[in-house]
Amino acid sequence: MPRYDYVLFDADNTLFDFDLAERKALRRALEEHGYPFDDVTESLYLAINRALWHRFDLGTIGREELLRERFAVFSHVMGGQDDPLEFNRCYLDHLAEGNDLLPGAEELCAALAPCCTLAIVTNGVASAQRGRFSRSPLPPYFSGLFISEELGCQKPQARFFELVLRAMDIRSPERAVVVGDNLLSDIQGGINAGLDTVWYNPHSLPNATAVRPTWEVHDFDALRALLLGDPIIPETR
């Protein structure tokens, strides 16, 4: 018997290899705008983008400002005069093509789907996330794709998960679990909504925050065992 009936998966770096998709998209966008793709430009963009997304997760910056500012700041530092919104659209168009999954992700979903109802819950940009999802092999296994941009609220806000539960007609929240790699948006978001959580932590990073997931796993085999209620349980509460 599965431990949970509903599994709400984060997308990026939980099922999808976002780092690979990001790198491919960034290379193409930079080259199309006349910038080299090298360690300097990649590191600069990543530092800017990750700082802005962290502010977004904290609720101190809006989505539109984030998407504009990441390329506005990049262009300014590089001495360019690019239109940041056009630059961002170019990047997102290429990002939507990045449907690479993490190794074992499809097999995990195939094993879970006959026993649990699966959905994706993501803060990613809607155009990119829908493009990546539709190009991937995952749609047959999933009952929903919930994107903060479309819901009008974001992880870690409890309202985001409340809307997901309502849309999926989940009347027993204790039978649902949130699975994600981000302690702030995924795990804290699930906690805020009163849901059990699984921190997918493949690199065994230390948890230096006050956020405490219900469960922690380091690989998909352990995650599958946990979700399907196998007697051998990975690192737990």
Side-chain angles (χ1 to χ4, degrees):
M1 178 179 176
R3 188 174 299 275
Y4 298 96
D5 297 322
Y6 304 92
V7 184
L8 310 180
F9 278 105
D10 172 54
D12 294 330
N13 289 330
T14 299
L15 294 176
F16 285 88
D17 190 338
F18 180 76
D19 293 342
L20 177 59
E22 180 181 51
R23 201 162 198 268
K24 289 179 178 179
L26 183 62
R27 174 190 290 275
R28 296 186 66 180
L30 291 184
E31 290 176 348
E32 290 175 19
H33 285 79
Y35 297 103
F37 179 78
D38 54 29
D39 289 345
V40 173
T41 54
E42 182 181 21
S43 297
L44 173 61
Y45 171 79
L46 291 178
I48 294 168
N49 190 51
R50 288 171 183 170
L52 289 170
W53 274 105
H54 183 67
R55 290 179 59 194
F56 178 81
D57 289 339
L58 292 174
T60 63
I61 188 174
R63 181 180 304 277
E64 295 304 317
E65 185 179 359
L66 183 161
L67 299 182
R68 180 184 67 251
E69 285 302 302
R70 60 183 177 181
F71 285 106
V73 174
F74 176 88
S75 180
H76 175 75
V77 173
M78 295 296 295
Q81 294 183 338
D82 306 277
D83 178 345
L85 295 180
E86 185 280 326
F87 208 151
N88 185 67
R89 282 193 297 270
C90 174
Y91 167 75
L92 290 179
D93 286 345
H94 293 310
L95 186 62
E97 301 165 1
N99 62 343
D100 299 277
L101 299 177
L102 293 171
E106 182 180 3
E107 292 79 4
L108 170 68
C109 296
L112 295 176
C115 308
C116 311
T117 300
L118 309 183
I120 286 179
V121 291
T122 175
N123 277 347
V125 179
S127 60
Q129 296 299 66
R130 290 204 171 275
R132 297 169 67 216
F133 181 70
S134 66
R135 291 179 174 90
S136 80
L138 294 186
Y141 307 117
F142 281 79
S143 297
L145 171 58
F146 299 95
I147 304 174
S148 60
E149 183 179 357
E150 297 174 345
L151 293 183
C153 49
Q154 68 208 45
K155 300 181 295 183
Q157 295 172 354
R159 177 66 174 165
F160 175 92
F161 292 97
E162 291 166 0
L163 291 174
V164 172
L165 295 180
R166 183 184 304 170
M168 296 181 67
D169 196 27
I170 298 176
R171 303 182 184 185
S172 299
E174 70 277 6
R175 299 299 301 163
V177 64
V178 179
V179 180
D181 68 302
N182 189 304
L183 284 167
L184 178 58
S185 60
D186 303 322
I187 306 308
Q188 186 62 61
I191 292 170
N192 289 345
L195 301 173
D196 280 3
T197 59
V198 181
W199 182 29
Y200 175 59
N201 183 19
H203 303 297
S204 299
L205 300 174
N207 182 356
T209 75
V211 180
R212 291 293 177 259
T214 312
W215 312 93
E216 176 180 345
V217 298
H218 298 153
D219 57 55
F220 284 152
D221 287 339
L223 180 57
R224 181 173 59 244
L226 169 65
L227 295 177
L228 293 181
D230 288 355
I232 299 176
I233 300 300
E235 293 195 21
T236 59
R237 302 171 187 265

